[in-house]
Amino acid sequence: MKNNFVSVGKILNFHGVQGEAKLGYSKNREDFLSQLKEVYVQNGTDYEVLTVSRIRFTPKCAIVKFKGIDNLNDVLKYKNKLIFVEELTAREFLEEDEYLIDELVGLDVYDGDKKVGAVVGVSNNGASDLLSVKTEGKKVSLVPFVKAIVLSVDIKNRKILINNIEGLLS
């Protein structure tokens, strides 16, 4: 059964000696992260709740203080762990034309009526999100997730329609 958690960042390391953690996250998610009261860390098959006491942002990461984590040794046990929120919480902050990565991976990609591949991953190059599309010829191409190229996303019918400009899926 698929869990209902979505990764929103990663604890990179400790920050100082007061139990603060450096948190890596996707660009432009400061508003979302600053409103979180609880996050989860996976331990085996269980999820441990961490309560956010405060969060601030630097140009490279977020600095987070969790309740009950009061020194760098407490933080170190979480180093390199992903942090999660409940899927419903993440959905509340999605804007129109924004999707969870899990929703996009596995969707078939069409150019008009012709299936040209399937989404196998999503990444970000700093300027835009990129769909990794495995073509029928088994080559993986990066498709910018921008309105000029991705014409529509139909989660229900598991289909993405793209404007396959020349050289896009080579």
Side-chain angles (χ1 to χ4, degrees):
M1 182 175 128
K2 187 175 172 183
N3 67 39
N4 61 342
F5 292 99
V6 176
S7 173
V8 295
K10 181 177 182 179
I11 296 176
L12 303 173
N13 212 338
F14 63 89
H15 178 78
V17 295
Q18 303 296 318
E20 291 181 312
K22 290 182 182 179
L23 177 71
Y25 62 95
S26 296
K27 288 180 184 280
N28 303 319
R29 291 291 176 230
E30 292 84 359
D31 286 347
F32 168 66
L33 291 172
S34 66
Q35 294 185 48
L36 295 178
K37 304 286 184 249
E38 293 181 338
V39 296
Y40 299 84
V41 177
Q42 191 170 11
N43 283 324
T45 57
D46 295 328
Y47 287 86
E48 177 184 346
V49 178
L50 296 177
T51 303
V52 178
S53 295
R54 67 179 179 269
I55 186 167
R56 67 184 194 279
F57 299 93
T58 72
K60 293 188 178 187
C61 66
I63 306 297
V64 184
K65 175 72 173 84
F66 298 108
K67 188 176 181 184
I69 296 178
D70 298 316
N71 62 58
L72 68 93
N73 289 325
D74 292 343
V75 175
L76 283 175
K77 72 179 186 180
Y78 298 106
K79 184 177 176 180
N80 294 322
K81 291 215 178 225
L82 295 175
I83 63 163
F84 298 85
V85 296
E86 291 182 358
E87 184 178 327
L88 290 174
T89 301
R91 285 189 186 286
E92 288 175 22
F93 289 91
L94 289 178
E95 294 183 17
E96 189 178 340
D97 294 336
E98 283 189 324
Y99 304 92
L100 298 176
I101 290 172
D102 287 354
E103 293 177 310
L104 298 174
V105 173
L107 296 186
D108 291 328
V109 178
Y110 288 83
D111 178 18
D113 291 333
K114 181 180 178 220
K115 182 178 172 186
V116 292
V119 177
V120 294
V122 180
S123 59
N124 186 293
N125 67 1
S128 68
D129 289 323
L130 301 167
L131 300 176
S132 296
V133 176
K134 187 178 231 179
T135 65
E136 299 296 308
K138 305 296 183 217
K139 184 173 187 290
V140 176
S141 297
L142 297 177
V143 175
F145 199 156
V146 295
K147 287 185 192 276
I149 295 173
V150 177
L151 304 176
S152 68
V153 176
D154 183 346
I155 300 293
K156 188 172 146 205
N157 293 309
R158 306 200 45 77
K159 181 176 177 177
I160 294 177
L161 182 63
I162 66 166
N163 176 14
N164 189 10
I165 58 177
E166 189 172 339
L168 184 64
L169 297 176
S170 49

